[in-house]
Amino acid sequence: MFVSSDCSAQPDFKSCTLLMPAVSVGNVGQLAVDLVISTLGMSKVGYFYTDCLVPMIGNNPYATTGDNTAELCINAEVYALPSKQLVVLQIRSPFIKNKYRPFCQTLLSWVESCRFAKVVLLSSSHAYQRSDQQLFGTPLRYLLSPAVQKTDEELMQKLNWRELEKIAAFPGVNGDEKVLYIPGSGITKLLFTESCSKGIQMIVLLKFCSEGDNIPDALALTDYLNEWLQLTGNQQSSSSPTKSSRWKIPSSWKLIFGSGLPPALF
């Protein structure tokens, strides 16, 4: 459940857009959310208390001065930017085994109680497990729940975005029955299907990728998001070969690959 940083008042999230990542291959969604929070200078308004995530604690990942470096962060925190009606739930640790479904149920109950306008889920999927038709064109895809198709599907078509293709449920036997297949995407499929059944407006934006240096993937996914929501101005097209340079890299990314080799080894 959501716990506000201000004990005297609960923030009003009505009609806001909730942006969140899936813990998926390459942690691309989480890295993209980091870029949004850091660039927009979003303020922390509380945290999401749950026993479904591995417990963790660390220093402020968005520290800008020595004064705020020692501020602590935990596994699921909520940030807000009222001027853009944007709320962000950042998830920083993996799920405990068999806790996917309880988390999705708790999260969607919170979404309904807060009356969010829509939920945007940033995710990723294994590039090596793409179907033949997914090998062509951009590695970026989207999914729309039925509740949001009436309002956003036309815009997606104007942007020339590609919806995530379904694959045959029984390859080589019956090609008529199609199913969603998003390997490596964590809670993405479960959260999306639950949102569809509950009539929640959900948009999934994802990128096919592989494990490794996933910063370029995160930049591409954030550009993709910005092309639609226009969080920052003068955004380049997601099809551009040059990556956007207007995203502010969080200070915590300096240690994204560790602290290097100790000189004493040589």
Side-chain angles (χ1 to χ4, degrees):
M1 65 176 182
F2 172 72
V3 179
S4 175
S5 297
D6 185 354
C7 299
S8 61
Q10 288 287 327
D12 183 11
F13 297 145
K14 182 181 178 182
S15 300
C16 290
T17 295
L18 174 64
L19 175 68
M20 62 173 290
V23 182
S24 51
V25 56
N27 305 108
V28 175
Q30 294 158 291
L31 294 173
V33 166
D34 262 354
L35 290 171
V36 172
I37 295 171
S38 179
T39 303
L40 299 181
M42 300 183 71
S43 301
K44 183 162 63 175
V45 295
Y47 61 92
F48 199 77
Y49 177 77
T50 175
D51 63 352
C52 299
L53 296 168
V54 174
M56 62 79 57
I57 191 168
N59 288 340
N60 183 4
Y62 313 115
T64 54
T65 66
D67 294 335
N68 61 10
T69 301
E71 293 178 6
L72 298 179
C73 73
I74 60 172
N75 54 11
E77 294 184 319
V78 180
Y79 299 77
L81 188 62
S83 62
K84 291 186 179 291
Q85 289 194 301
L86 180 67
V87 177
V88 171
L89 169 63
Q90 175 62 301
I91 300 174
R92 298 193 176 96
S93 67
F95 284 87
I96 294 173
K97 187 177 181 180
N98 299 326
K99 290 286 189 176
Y100 277 16
R101 191 169 295 278
F103 178 82
C104 290
Q105 292 171 346
T106 303
L107 175 69
L108 293 180
S109 295
W110 179 56
V111 167
E112 290 177 321
S113 65
C114 290
R115 300 175 68 183
F116 283 105
K118 61 185 67 173
V119 181
V120 182
L121 181 66
L122 301 183
S123 184
S124 52
S125 182
H126 285 301
Y128 73 91
Q129 288 187 273
R130 285 175 290 177
S131 64
D132 289 347
Q133 57 184 335
Q134 291 172 345
L135 292 171
F136 297 96
T138 175
L140 296 158
R141 295 291 191 276
Y142 75 90
L143 284 170
L144 299 177
S145 68
V148 80
Q149 286 179 351
K150 295 179 182 178
T151 57
D152 287 88
E153 188 169 28
E154 185 177 347
L155 175 59
M156 303 301 187
Q157 293 173 352
K158 287 181 180 179
L159 292 172
N160 293 318
W161 283 10
R162 289 183 63 176
E163 186 173 8
L164 181 65
E165 301 89 346
K166 293 183 177 181
I167 67 168
F170 305 100
V173 179
N174 181 7
D176 295 332
E177 185 178 348
K178 304 284 186 178
V179 295
L180 276 178
Y181 182 59
I182 325 177
S185 65
I187 65 170
T188 302
K189 182 178 178 180
L190 175 60
L191 194 58
F192 180 73
T193 54
E194 288 291 317
S195 297
C196 291
S197 64
K198 291 178 178 292
I200 292 173
Q201 296 193 29
M202 172 167 282
I203 302 94
V204 177
L205 304 183
L206 65 85
K207 187 178 188 298
F208 296 117
C209 67
S210 302
E211 293 280 3
D213 181 359
N214 295 104
I215 291 177
D217 298 308
L219 287 166
L221 187 60
T222 316
D223 283 342
Y224 192 53
L225 170 73
N226 196 49
E227 191 177 349
W228 167 45
L229 289 185
Q230 296 294 301
L231 298 175
T232 62
N234 302 320
Q235 177 60 37
Q236 298 174 6
S237 168
S238 62
S239 61
S240 172
T242 58
K243 298 297 181 184
S244 171
S245 60
R246 64 177 55 254
W247 301 109
K248 181 181 178 182
I249 303 300
S251 57
S252 56
W253 284 23
K254 294 176 183 178
L255 299 175
I256 199 167
F257 294 113
S259 56
L261 298 174
L265 286 176
F266 303 99

